[in-house]
Amino acid sequence: MGKKVKPSKMPEARFIDNAITLGELIKAKRTAMGVKLSDCAALCGIGINTLSRIENGNQNCTLFAMFAVLNGLGIKLSAQELTSTDEWV
């Protein structure tokens, strides 16, 4: 019998504003689902090392890999809807 996946805690940040927080969120979701790193990487169509770097907050991962993981785990990023009358602050 394989090792059981130990759940990681959710990041305490209010917003996802850096790679470390996003990586912590991804790891928390994966481990809460009980999915091993290797199985998640295969599910998302990326390498184990790439997924590990994402979970550890590496800022040099591609957007393709990041969105592959987010979609594979069912994580949806959202932002307040912007309109043409909104001003950038």
Side-chain angles (χ1 to χ4, degrees), residues 66-81:
M66 183 64 69
F67 280 105
V69 174
L70 293 172
N71 291 330
L73 293 175
I75 299 172
K76 304 293 181 212
L77 295 183
S78 63
Q80 181 178 0
E81 185 176 336

Side-chain angles (χ1 to χ4, degrees), residues 8-66:
S8 297
K9 69 178 198 161
M10 287 290 288
E12 295 181 14
R14 188 167 172 203
F15 300 102
I16 299 171
D17 59 358
N18 59 62
I20 292 171
T21 303
L22 184 55
E24 289 173 349
L25 173 72
I26 289 169
K27 185 174 183 178
K29 172 75 173 189
R30 175 184 63 79
T31 58
M33 294 170 64
V35 178
K36 294 180 186 177
L37 190 72
S38 59
D39 293 336
C40 183
L43 169 75
C44 298
I46 63 171
I48 297 170
N49 290 337
T50 300
L51 179 55
S52 178
R53 285 194 302 270
I54 289 171
E55 288 189 351
N56 286 305
N58 184 305
Q59 298 179 21
N60 294 320
C61 294
T62 66
L63 282 174
F64 174 83
M66 183 64 69

